[in-house]
Amino acid sequence: MELKVSVKAPAKINLTLDVLRKRDDGYHEVEMIMTTVDLADRIDLIHLEEDRIVVDVSEGYVPNDERNLAYQAAKILKERYSINKGVSIYITKNIPVAAGLAGGSSDAAATLRGLNELWKLNLSLDELARVGTEIGSDVAFCVYGGTALATGRGEIIKKISSPPPCWVVLAKPPIGVSTAEVYGKLKVNQITHPNTQAMLKAIEEKDFTKICAQLHNVLEEVTFNTYPEVKHIKAQMERFGADGVLMSGSGPTVFGLIQKESRLNRIYNGLRGFCSNVYAVRLISQHHS
Ligand code: ATP
């Protein structure tokens, strides 16, 4: 019997984020193109004979109780499939928290994939994604990884081909942004919408220049108004020469897409001058299997 499974939980970025309308159930109807990058948390799942779920996190300020999304993932699977053994979940956080990179959702998704193996449940990714949707809107995407179009409240996932390989510089100013607050401030009838179809076509054609031209996130303006430093980071990244720049999710992380490695260091070092959380990573093209 397997006693330990380790899984990677990669961060995501939004290449587009559109809000179509506010629904009667309080959620927003969205249309987003998301892709994973190789900045990842690590989840170690260790079998416990005792029937309980224990969570331990390398970052002190992330909850280690039932508020942790990885805990919730384990609890749902355990109840649904009547597992009477326990698990110890150790999370090594590398993805910044409350950053717009879906760190918590990715930890939950990785926990679902890992427990599927540890507990030999033989569930398909579609089944795991359905369970994930009960935890949070971004969890389904994180179950599949790769690149996808997400609709509904973000839980309806259509896998698409991957963008051409490139570098991604992520810069996170030292603030945490509440996704609920940003959506709450959004004026849905005053939005300039992204051209999602044009972005899908650009990705399909692997046209890097067109992808950069179509980057658009309707939440940017809301977060920029509340936190001008996020707008400043975007401007700096453009000034240092990134090919395309956008805020991810509800922010505050801003990412730049860069094709030439020779430009990467200049942009990375330039941003490090005034922002302590800067990462140079790559897109991950494959979906999980
Ligand atoms: P999204 O892009 O999906 O809105 P985010 O990157 O903005 O997500 P997270 O890093 O997922 O935000 O964290 C949001 C909140 O969720 C945090 O304030 C934290 O307390 C809580 N949380 C629960 N579980 C986790 C986890 N495993 N890792 C990080 N945060 C978690």
Side-chain angles (χ1 to χ4, degrees):
M1 192 175 87
E2 218 156 356
L3 294 177
K4 181 177 170 185
V5 171
S6 299
V7 222
K8 263 189 169 188
K12 64 87 187 157
I13 54 171
N14 290 84
L15 300 178
T16 61
L17 193 164
D18 196 8
V19 176
L20 305 181
R21 63 185 177 90
K22 182 145 189 211
R23 312 195 316 193
D24 295 336
D25 63 6
Y27 285 105
H28 288 82
E29 190 78 18
V30 297
E31 197 166 64
M32 329 186 259
I33 300 174
M34 300 194 275
T35 190
T36 36
V37 296
D38 68 357
L39 171 66
D41 292 344
R42 180 192 157 114
I43 313 282
D44 292 305
L45 302 166
I46 299 153
H47 169 83
L48 289 181
E49 274 303 309
E50 227 178 309
D51 186 5
R52 63 193 190 115
I53 301 166
V54 184
V55 175
D56 202 357
V57 192
S58 63
E59 292 280 353
Y61 47 86
V62 175
N64 64 356
D65 52 21
E66 64 285 346
R67 286 170 299 168
N68 197 296
L69 301 185
Y71 181 103
Q72 292 174 24
K75 184 159 184 274
I76 295 188
L77 271 193
K78 210 168 141 7
E79 286 174 0
R80 192 135 319 159
Y81 297 96
S82 311
I83 308 291
N84 55 11
K85 301 290 180 196
V87 63
S88 165
I89 305 173
Y90 189 79
I91 307 176
T92 310
K93 283 301 295 180
N94 296 310
I95 306 172
V97 178
L101 299 171
S105 303
S106 193
D107 292 351
T111 302
L112 293 174
R113 286 196 307 271
L115 288 177
N116 191 33
E117 210 178 303
L118 189 74
W119 290 339
K120 306 213 178 341
L121 300 173
N122 277 317
L123 300 173
S124 65
L125 287 187
D126 292 345
E127 287 167 304
L128 293 177
R130 267 196 294 279
V131 174
T133 300
E134 297 172 39
I135 304 165
S137 305
D138 282 347
V139 179
F141 167 75
C142 295
V143 165
Y144 300 103
T147 309
L149 172 70
T151 54
R153 60 179 171 92
E155 87 287 16
I156 304 170
I157 305 300
K158 181 170 179 271
K159 289 193 256 178
I160 60 172
S161 61
S162 53
C166 69
W167 291 97
V168 184
V169 169
L170 303 167
K172 184 198 160 285
I175 45 173
V177 167
S178 149
T179 304
E181 190 188 326
V182 173
Y183 273 101
K185 285 184 180 165
L186 180 73
K187 296 195 175 68
V188 178
N189 49 0
Q190 290 174 19
I191 288 174
T192 312
H193 296 278
N195 189 340
T196 306
Q197 289 308 317
M199 179 61 99
L200 288 171
K201 188 160 178 279
I203 294 172
E204 183 64 39
E205 291 170 355
K206 303 219 182 288
D207 187 328
F208 183 73
T209 310
K210 280 192 193 150
I211 292 172
C212 290
Q214 295 297 339
L215 292 172
H216 188 124
N217 175 351
V218 303
L219 301 180
E220 254 189 355
E221 208 179 302
V222 183
T223 303
F224 285 0
N225 283 338
T226 320
Y227 305 102
E229 59 267 54
V230 183
K231 188 175 183 174
H232 179 65
I233 288 199
K234 180 172 180 180
Q236 291 294 330
M237 226 188 252
E238 283 168 343
R239 195 170 67 85
F240 288 130
D243 299 301
V245 183
L246 194 71
M247 183 183 85
S248 187
S250 52
T253 303
V254 172
F255 69 85
L257 302 182
I258 300 142
Q259 205 161 35
K260 288 205 187 87
E261 194 167 353
S262 55
R263 251 195 223 175
L264 177 72
N265 281 344
R266 185 157 63 95
I267 298 168
Y268 177 79
N269 290 329
L271 286 162
R272 286 269 300 234
F274 62 95
C275 182
S276 54
N277 270 312
V278 187
Y279 310 84
V281 298
R282 296 197 51 91
L283 295 180
I284 301 178
S285 53
Q286 331 84 295
H287 299 101
H288 296 294
S289 51

